[in-house]
Amino acid sequence: MIGAGIFALLGEAGTVAGAAVWLSFLVGGVVAMLLGYVCVKLGSRYPSSGGLITYLIVGFGRGRLVGVASWLGYMAAIVIVTAMVAVSFGSYATSLFVGQDASSWWNHLFITALILLMVGLNIVGTKVVAVAQSFIVSGVLVVFSVFIWVTIFDVDWSKLSFGGYPSYSKIIASVALTFFAYLGFNVITFTAGDLKNPKRELPRAMYGALGITTVVYVLIAIGVFGTLTVAEVIGYGETAIAEAARPALGDAGYTVMAIAALLSTAGATNGTLYASSNLTGMLAQEGLFPPVFGSGSRLGKHGGLVITGALVLLVANLVDLSAIASVGSAVALMIFVLVGLAGYRRRADTGSNAAIVVLAIGVTAVVLGFFAVDTWQNAPQTFTAIIAILVAAVLLDRWSRRRTPQGEAGSTAVEPGRPVPD
């Protein structure tokens, strides 16, 4: 979760929420925490490596709704989001190691190297993934702590004046963007099947990670927008955090933050590919994805991971992602509304507090609604891209059901002896 989203989002969020981005991150953290509660309750009751899709299945069965949501989440929250993060890695790596005026093929070289390396790590095994992720996150937290320390005491509070904030509707709409920076919390749900004691470990992981990340993101946003003007943040885009470190730390500060960006984006790529491996295998087992994505694939037991890596390579190197930067976040919000509804339907089994679950569904729907209106008015290309991906998900669901033998579907192991509701 930590790092990659905030590097990629500060400039874009600034165009919507102005200097109020710190508020947007705060609200985004609250939304993620509410949804995290729903996921913890479901994950503790139905521990599985299928994560969110498992929760949709126990809530709604294996019908069209879950099939379309599966493809929708896979394309947007896995392939597109991972490609965006990899592109950000390529930009920072080229700037740091080659120069800002370097040829664009350097970007593609670094993007390709990152994806191949992270696919290789995930093929080796989860222990290697865990060690690599722990190293990456530790380094990022150290760098962010230094950044917060050197900027927070020199903040120009006039730049954060409430009088300069946009309307509340703009701030709420921007939460859909800043929510992207928290999306890694859904990866935690995919580990439930690997945990020795999900009922104890899953809540600690979820709430601890979200709490730390929210505090770090809010303080970073205050430091950046209290050091640079909104126009400067928008202009610098992905490198805004590094530029905000220049006044206190000089060029060395820029370099250190660039290294943190490389670590963050590498970690996010690593974590999402790990989730994709579990997700595609489970979906193939359930008959929602073709068998080629499963452990019995002709591509080997890591067939789903290999296919995902190949798709991310193609999208990152061939597609202009700038026009659809917020597609992943918008699609994720749609899926989380469904997860919330699944949690409400299974609240008796999970022991969930109905009021908290309803609140989680409500605030997520409100954020999604404000974002949809703002996108329709100000970024029609993004709105069109979301509709196009939704249509593609419907078509892919129809295609995959035709290719999956009827007898192979529905082999879930969510909970032995308990039928999954249809």
Side-chain angles (χ1 to χ4, degrees):
M1 207 184 333
I2 196 79
I6 198 168
F7 279 108
L9 284 172
L10 275 181
E12 189 175 355
T15 63
V16 180
V21 167
W22 70 271
L23 269 177
S24 180
F25 273 111
L26 180 60
V27 176
V30 172
V31 173
M33 192 72 77
L34 289 169
L35 291 170
Y37 171 83
V38 178
C39 292
V40 162
K41 289 295 186 179
L42 286 166
S44 298
R45 185 69 177 87
Y46 307 104
S48 165
S49 295
L52 302 181
I53 302 303
T54 296
Y55 311 151
L56 292 179
I57 290 173
V58 300
F60 300 105
R62 301 182 188 89
R64 295 282 186 188
L65 176 66
V66 175
V68 173
S70 300
W71 280 108
L72 195 61
Y74 176 72
M75 289 188 296
I78 298 291
V79 176
I80 291 178
V81 167
T82 307
M84 286 173 59
V85 172
V87 168
S88 182
F89 175 92
S91 299
Y92 265 102
T94 300
S95 174
L96 190 62
F97 299 120
V98 184
Q100 294 184 347
D101 298 326
S103 171
S104 61
W105 72 267
W106 280 104
N107 288 29
H108 297 297
L109 177 64
F110 286 119
I111 290 169
T112 302
L114 171 69
I115 295 170
L116 292 178
L117 174 61
M118 293 310 170
V119 168
L121 280 178
N122 279 270
I123 288 176
V124 171
T126 56
K127 289 186 178 180
V128 177
V129 172
V131 171
Q133 201 71 358
S134 296
F135 169 77
I136 289 169
V137 172
S138 298
V140 172
L141 283 174
V142 169
V143 173
F144 279 173
S145 297
V146 173
F147 173 83
I148 291 169
W149 181 261
V150 300
T151 58
I152 203 71
F153 295 109
D154 293 326
V155 165
D156 181 354
W157 295 103
S158 65
K159 293 180 178 178
L160 297 167
S161 171
F162 282 85
Y165 289 178
S167 65
Y168 76 91
S169 61
K170 286 284 187 181
I171 296 175
I172 295 175
S174 71
V175 173
L177 296 174
T178 54
F179 182 75
F180 174 87
Y182 294 98
L183 276 185
F185 85 87
N186 80 84
V187 175
I188 297 174
T189 68
F190 290 94
T191 69
D194 297 328
L195 297 177
K196 293 180 180 179
N197 187 354
K199 290 185 178 180
R200 182 178 66 90
E201 295 173 327
L202 190 60
R204 290 175 60 188
M206 182 70 74
Y207 302 138
L210 283 170
I212 292 170
T213 303
T214 301
V215 171
V216 170
Y217 281 171
V218 169
L219 291 177
I220 287 177
I222 290 173
V224 170
F225 284 90
T227 301
L228 305 174
T229 65
V230 173
E232 287 173 331
V233 174
I234 295 172
Y236 289 131
E238 294 177 350
T239 62
I241 297 180
E243 293 292 345
R246 280 192 193 273
L249 300 175
D251 291 339
Y254 180 92
T255 301
V256 169
M257 294 308 297
I259 293 172
L262 293 179
L263 291 173
S264 298
T265 49
T269 304
N270 183 35
T272 309
L273 286 173
Y274 166 80
S276 76
S277 181
N278 286 342
L279 173 66
T280 54
M282 179 264 190
L283 289 171
Q285 180 184 356
E286 292 293 334
L288 296 171
F289 271 26
V292 70
F293 282 89
S295 56
S297 169
R298 284 174 250 169
L299 299 174
K301 66 178 182 178
H302 298 289
L305 175 63
V306 172
I307 294 172
T308 301
L311 290 174
V312 172
L313 270 174
L314 290 173
V315 173
N317 284 296
L318 300 178
V319 178
D320 179 10
L321 296 170
S322 60
I324 56 174
S326 35
V327 167
S329 188
V331 169
L333 286 169
M334 295 179 197
I335 293 174
F336 276 117
V337 169
L338 293 177
V339 171
L341 292 171
Y344 184 79
R345 296 186 72 179
R346 311 303 294 180
R347 65 189 183 282
D349 294 336
T350 61
S352 300
N353 183 302
I356 297 178
V357 176
V358 170
L359 182 61
I361 297 170
V363 296
T364 307
V366 167
V367 169
L368 182 60
F370 275 95
F371 174 76
V373 172
D374 188 74
T375 303
W376 171 265
Q377 294 175 342
N378 302 306
Q381 70 277 17
T382 299
F383 191 89
T384 302
I386 294 171
I387 299 299
I389 289 176
L390 179 59
V391 172
V394 173
L395 295 176
L396 283 168
D397 176 62
R398 290 173 61 88
W399 169 76
S400 61
R401 288 177 186 273
R402 289 175 179 173
R403 292 184 59 85
T404 303
Q406 292 298 315
E408 295 184 10
S411 55
T412 186
V414 172
E415 188 178 348
R418 184 181 183 90
V420 175
D422 193 358

